[in-house]
Amino acid sequence: MAESYPSLEIIESLKVKPTDGEIYLLKYLIENFSNDYEVYFQPFLNGDMPDIILVRRDYGVIVLEVKDWLLENYIIDYKNSWHLKKNDQSVKSPFQQAFGYKSNMFDLHISGLAEKNVLNKNVYNIIKPFVYFHTASPSDIKNIFRAAEEKLISEININNQNFRNGVIEFEKYENKRIYLDQKAKQIRRDKGMSLVRENLDIKILKELVHGNKLFTDDIYFEFRRYLKPPMHVADKGRDIRYGTKQLRLTESKENSFQKIKGVAGSGKTTVLAKRAVNAHKRHGGKVLILTFNKTLRNYIRDKISDVRDNFSWGAFAILNYHSFIASQLNSCGIEIAPPEDCPISKLSSYFNELYSNTNLFESHNSSISKFKTILVDEIQDYQSEWIEIIKKYFLDTDGEMVLFGDESQNIYNRDLDSDKSIKIKGFGSWERLTKSYRAKEESSLLLMFNDFQKTYLLPKYDLDSIDSKPTQLSLEFDIIRGFDLSKKAEEQIDIICSNILKIIKENEIHPNDICILSGNINLLRSIDKNLRELLNEETITTFEKEEVYQELHAKIKNLVNGRRKCEGFKNNAEKAKCEHLVKMEIEKTMEYELKKLRDSKKFSFEQNSGHMKLSTTHSFKGIEAPFVIYIASGNDSEEVTYTSITRSKKDLVVFIEKNNKYFDFFQNHNSIKFNKIELTNRSTGLAEARR
C-alpha cells in the first residue's frame, strides 16, 4: 500500500469532507500502489492546496486535480476556454488549475527548480499534471473536446484562406497562425491529461514506472520539506532579548487591528516573527504573512526559526501579495487570462487593475479558507486596495491583522495621508519603534542615517528620529568613494571588482556577511561573474547568472527561429517582416522568462547561505547584512538610497560617481572616512585573490 499523508482515517474525519471523487481516487492510489509511492491530500504549499500529489523517489511527481463535474454541462471553445452550457459563463479550465500548481512548484515553492529548468528543459517533465473527472467516461472526454477541435480546424483554414486572398497582412496572419498552433497543442495536451476511472492504471503507472535521473534526491527532499513540513523545536531557536515595547507588540490578540511603524533596524521583522508564533500557539490555526518584496520570504522564515518555541512549519504561509492572490485565484478557479487582443505593453496595467479590484473574490467569498491571523510586512509598498482585499476576503471574523512599515522606505511612491504617513484606514493610530538595533548605539552609521533622513526625506514624510548616541568617527565602518571617473559604473566593472576584492581581503570579511546592492541588474550580473572568477567562489543572487542569461537567450532564439521559419519566404518584404517579428518575439519571450527566473531566485534567496550576496535594492529591502557595498546610480531616488545604506548592520561601502546628487553628502559628512578609489586593474585583483 502507498503511504498516505495524512492517513485515510484522518482525511475521512476532516471538518470539510473530501468529495466523492477525491475519496475514490485516494483509496484507489493507496490500495493499488506500493509503499514506495507517497500520496498527499490537499498539502498546504505556502498558500497552494492542490487536491492530491503523488510522489515516487527517483521517478517524479504527479499533480492531480479532481472534479466531480458532469461534463455534459460544459463546453470548450477553440481557444481552449471552458464555459457553462446554460449561460455561457466562463469558468477556469481545470487543466489550467493543475498547471498553475505545477508552475508554482517551479517558480515559488521548490528551490532551484526554475534555474534547473532553464539549463535543461526536460526538468519540467519531472512534474506531470492530470485532471481526474470522477463521473465521466472515455466517450465523455472525446465528446467535450470534439467541438473545440473541429472549430479550431475551421479557424486555421479561414486564416490561411484570408492570407492567400490578401484579406489580411502577413503580420496578422503569422500571429494568428502561431496562436492557433499553440491552442491546438494545448487541446491535444489537455485531452491526454484527462483521467477517468477506466484509464487510471494505464496513465498514472505509465508516468511513474520508469526512473528519471533528473528527479534527483535534492529535488525529492525539497518536495518532502514542503509536502510534509518538519517540526521546529525550541532548542533550535536562540535567546532574543526584546525591548519592552517590542515584547508588548508580540502579544497575539483576538479581533485585533494594529499598525506598527519603525525606523530602519528597529526589529519590525523580529516582532512580526514572534507575534506569528504566538498567534499560532494561541489559536492553533494557520498564519498568513504577506510582503511585497519576494526576497523577504526566507528572511522572515529565518526570523521565525530564531523564536524559542515548538511549532510546525506547516502553520505559516509566507508569500508576497501578488503570488498569494494568484494562488488564491487559481484555487478558486477564477479566470485571470488577459484579453486575446491585449498588447504586451498593456499587460502590466491589466494585472495591476485586476489585483487591485476590491470585488475580485466576491462570488467565492463563502468558500475561501480564512486566516485567524494576517501579518503584513513592508506595508509602505502596498496599495490601499490590497489591504482592503486581504481584510475583506481572507481574515476570519474574529481574526487579528497587523501591519508593519516605514514610510522612509517608500520606494514605490505610494499615496500618503495628509499628515505624511502611510495611507491606511481602520487600524487605529501608529505604534512607533524608534530604537535601531541594526547597528551599535554609538555607531556613526546611525548618525548618518538620521542626517540623510533630515536632508532628503523630512519634507516628504512624518519621520521618527533614530534613537542613538553618536560619537565621533567610530571606526566601525568606512565609506569608500566609488569613482569620480568620466565613465559610468557599467564601463568600470574590472576596477569596481578589484577594489571590492581589495576591501574584502584587507578587512578579512566573511563572504556570508557581504551584500552588494545596486539598482542595475546588468551591472550586478557582470560584477557577479567577475567576482566569481576572481574569488573562485559561488554567490547568491536575486537574478540570473550571466551564463544562465546567455544560455536562455540562445535557447529562446533557436525556439522562435524554429517556429517562424523566415527563410521560407521568397518575397523580401515578407521575409523582412518575419525577421522583425522574430526579433520582437525573442525580446518578449526573454522578458517573460527572465521575470519567472528572477521571481524564483528571489523566493529561494538565502540570507545565511555562507556565500556572498548580490541583489537589487528593491529585492533586498527589509533585509540586513553586516557588510553592505552600495553602487549608487544617478537615477536612485532618496528613498532607494536611504533604503540601500540602511541595510548595513556594521560596515558600509559606497561607490558613487562625482556627479551624483548625493556625492557631497557622503563626501562631507563628518562621521565618514572618505577614500579615493584605487585604479586597480583586473589582473592585479586576480593576483591578490590567489595569494
Side-chain angles (χ1 to χ4, degrees), residues 105-346:
M105 289 176 188
F106 275 89
D107 299 340
L108 303 179
H109 305 316
I110 310 302
S111 179
L113 268 191
E115 194 160 23
K116 287 178 187 283
N117 184 49
V118 169
L119 299 173
N120 185 348
K121 286 297 181 185
N122 291 324
V123 171
Y124 201 65
N125 295 322
I126 65 174
I127 305 174
K128 303 280 188 177
F130 286 93
V131 178
Y132 170 63
F133 296 100
H134 183 56
T135 62
S137 66
S139 61
D140 292 330
I141 300 297
K142 288 181 182 179
N143 289 336
I144 196 168
F145 282 104
R146 183 180 292 118
E149 292 170 323
E150 291 174 352
K151 179 63 175 173
L152 190 61
I153 292 170
S154 173
E155 288 292 323
I156 291 171
N157 291 334
I158 292 170
N159 189 51
N160 291 337
Q161 190 68 40
N162 285 340
F163 180 60
R164 284 196 294 268
N165 295 339
V167 176
I168 56 176
E169 294 184 351
F170 170 77
E171 184 173 350
K172 189 173 181 180
Y173 157 77
E174 182 69 357
N175 285 337
K176 188 74 176 261
R177 182 188 71 78
I178 297 289
Y179 175 80
L180 294 173
D181 183 56
Q182 288 174 334
K183 293 302 170 184
K185 289 178 180 176
Q186 287 176 7
I187 288 173
R188 287 195 299 272
R189 176 203 67 193
D190 291 358
K191 197 173 179 181
M193 286 167 52
S194 301
L195 296 177
V196 296
R197 297 190 201 193
E198 289 87 339
N199 64 15
L200 283 174
D201 274 336
I202 300 171
K203 288 196 173 183
I204 294 181
L205 283 173
K206 182 183 176 183
E207 296 300 336
L208 296 183
V209 73
H210 298 295
N212 190 335
K213 292 181 179 179
L214 296 175
F215 191 56
T216 54
D217 273 356
D218 63 319
I219 297 175
Y220 167 73
F221 285 113
E222 190 70 6
F223 266 99
R224 287 268 300 189
R225 187 165 76 89
Y226 275 95
L227 293 169
K228 195 180 178 186
M231 283 293 296
H232 177 280
V233 295
D235 289 347
K236 290 184 178 180
R238 63 185 183 91
D239 188 22
I240 302 171
R241 296 182 181 180
Y242 301 94
T244 304
K245 180 170 271 190
Q246 285 182 321
L247 194 61
R248 177 171 61 79
L249 294 175
T250 65
E251 296 174 7
S252 173
K253 301 174 185 176
E254 183 179 275
N255 198 24
S256 169
F257 297 91
Q258 283 181 289
K259 53 187 183 182
I260 301 168
K261 64 189 293 187
V263 298
S266 60
K268 295 185 295 293
T269 310
T270 301
V271 171
L272 181 152
K274 177 66 171 173
R275 184 147 184 168
V277 173
N278 286 346
H280 171 61
K281 299 286 287 186
R282 175 175 65 81
H283 53 63
K286 290 182 172 61
V287 176
L288 175 63
I289 303 170
L290 293 175
T291 71
F292 181 80
N293 179 3
K294 300 177 182 70
T295 319
L296 268 174
R297 184 180 72 166
N298 281 328
Y299 182 71
I300 291 172
R301 184 181 171 90
D302 286 347
K303 291 292 187 182
I304 292 174
S305 187
D306 287 340
V307 178
R308 283 192 180 275
D309 218 325
N310 300 319
F311 52 83
S312 169
W313 279 112
F316 307 102
I318 312 171
L319 283 167
N320 75 310
Y321 173 78
H322 291 84
S323 298
F324 174 73
I325 294 297
S327 74
Q328 293 301 311
L329 288 168
N330 188 55
S331 296
C332 292
I334 299 175
E335 183 61 61
I336 59 172
E340 185 183 339
D341 57 352
C342 182
I344 191 159
S345 59
K346 301 290 185 182

Side-chain angles (χ1 to χ4, degrees), residues 21-54:
E22 289 169 342
I23 280 291
Y24 177 88
L25 187 56
L26 280 167
K27 288 182 177 179
Y28 176 87
L29 294 172
I30 293 168
E31 294 169 3
N32 290 275
F33 286 75
S34 59
N35 61 5
D36 58 339
Y37 288 84
E38 301 164 24
V39 181
Y40 297 89
F41 177 67
Q42 294 185 350
F44 187 70
L45 287 174
N46 213 17
D48 276 345
M49 291 182 68
D51 290 335
I52 298 172
I53 290 181
L54 184 66

